[in-house]
Amino acid sequence: MTELVGREPQYEAPAENYRRHAADGLWNAHLDRPACLELLGDVKGKRVLDAACGPGFYAAEMVSRGALVTGFDNSPRMVEFCRQQAGGGEFRVHDLNDPIDWLPDASVDLVLCALAYEYADNRAGALREFRRVLKPGGALVLSKLHPTGDWLRHGGSYFDTRIVEEWWGAELDMGVRFWIEPLEAVCAAIADAGFLIERLVEPRPAPEAAALNPAKHERLSTGPYGFIAFRLRPA
């Protein structure tokens, strides 16, 4: 275990497996994606930055709703998938740890960062960059693994900020490394970057998604084992 997650694109090698899984999987298609899209609200005519765009399912939906989407991911294969999935958007390879130097101040209406925050070593810097590129009346939608679920899986002190490793076996066949931290640390970073929390949601899957995996559906419907999502606005 090192002290940083590092810049290696963890989703590059398993990109095809992840794309197939995310298309209609319980966690992505029926838990996080609906929650994030609801928090974004009406995107028609809005300029949206999709930070860590993955294979492009969020971007494609936003484009279909009339948004002008630009995005990035540190995995070249994911960026290629995103270009295929979300025609009309503009996507590039870029690391979440680095300044978004091709976007000027106050140039986008909305920022989406879905399920990527915990992979960044420079999480504070990423939040500050989101704040910089947002227009004064804009909003950031941020989703991540639920801090309580992280603690329930990994044990130790809930209040420690640390790197953990997980193996996502049967469905994805991939290992991941990411940061876990208590909710108070996430909220402190949000405030330090100049945001206020407008909404906080703990997504649950829709009842009709139970057929995909009844046991996991029950677990995600009754406990904090999934994600947490925020709609943040500039303070």
Side-chain angles (χ1 to χ4, degrees):
M1 186 74 71
T2 65
E3 60 184 17
L4 295 175
V5 169
R7 290 174 173 268
E8 180 182 353
Q10 297 187 63
Y11 284 75
E12 177 74 0
E16 183 56 50
N17 277 352
Y18 183 79
R19 177 168 69 164
R20 191 164 48 245
H21 170 78
D24 194 42
L26 183 59
W27 292 79
N28 297 88
H30 299 278
L31 194 67
D32 188 69
R33 206 147 68 231
C36 286
L37 292 169
E38 181 185 353
L39 287 173
L40 284 168
D42 183 9
V43 298
K44 187 175 182 179
K46 302 286 181 67
R47 295 191 176 276
V48 185
L49 171 64
D50 189 352
C53 55
F57 294 112
Y58 300 79
E61 184 61 33
M62 290 188 288
V63 168
S64 76
R65 297 182 185 190
L68 305 170
V69 181
T70 185
F72 65 82
D73 200 281
N74 72 342
S75 162
R77 292 187 73 196
M78 286 297 187
V79 170
E80 198 55 44
F81 289 160
C82 197
R83 288 170 178 160
Q84 297 167 10
Q85 188 74 26
E90 183 180 314
F91 306 98
R92 66 178 68 197
V93 178
H94 181 79
D95 197 287
L96 194 58
N97 291 291
D98 295 330
I100 309 167
D101 51 12
W102 71 92
L103 288 179
D105 296 357
S107 58
V108 300
D109 300 293
L110 295 164
V111 176
L112 170 66
C113 184
L115 305 182
Y117 178 79
E118 51 264 71
Y119 296 106
D121 293 315
N122 187 17
R123 297 181 300 288
L127 288 172
R128 287 194 300 270
E129 277 295 276
F130 297 156
R131 175 68 180 83
R132 181 187 66 79
V133 302
L134 266 176
K135 295 178 181 178
L140 162 64
V141 172
L142 175 74
S143 68
K144 65 180 301 299
L145 286 163
H146 200 296
T148 305
D150 290 340
W151 174 63
L152 289 171
R153 291 193 309 281
H154 292 279
S157 170
Y158 168 79
F159 297 104
D160 286 347
T161 295
R162 56 197 165 106
I163 293 171
V164 297
E165 296 184 358
E166 291 186 352
W167 178 256
W168 296 346
E171 296 174 327
L172 287 168
D173 193 29
M174 64 180 288
V176 290
R177 303 176 67 249
F178 56 91
W179 289 95
I180 63 174
E181 55 191 342
L183 183 58
E184 70 176 17
V186 178
C187 292
I190 287 169
D192 289 346
F195 286 104
L196 296 175
I197 298 173
E198 188 173 300
R199 282 190 64 194
L200 182 158
V201 298
E202 296 168 296
R204 274 87 79 194
E208 56 267 26
L212 292 169
N213 189 313
K216 287 185 179 178
H217 186 279
E218 173 70 14
R219 182 176 174 85
L220 291 170
S221 299
T222 57
Y225 298 101
F227 307 126
I228 190 168
F230 306 85
R231 180 181 168 94
L232 311 173
R233 59 180 176 86

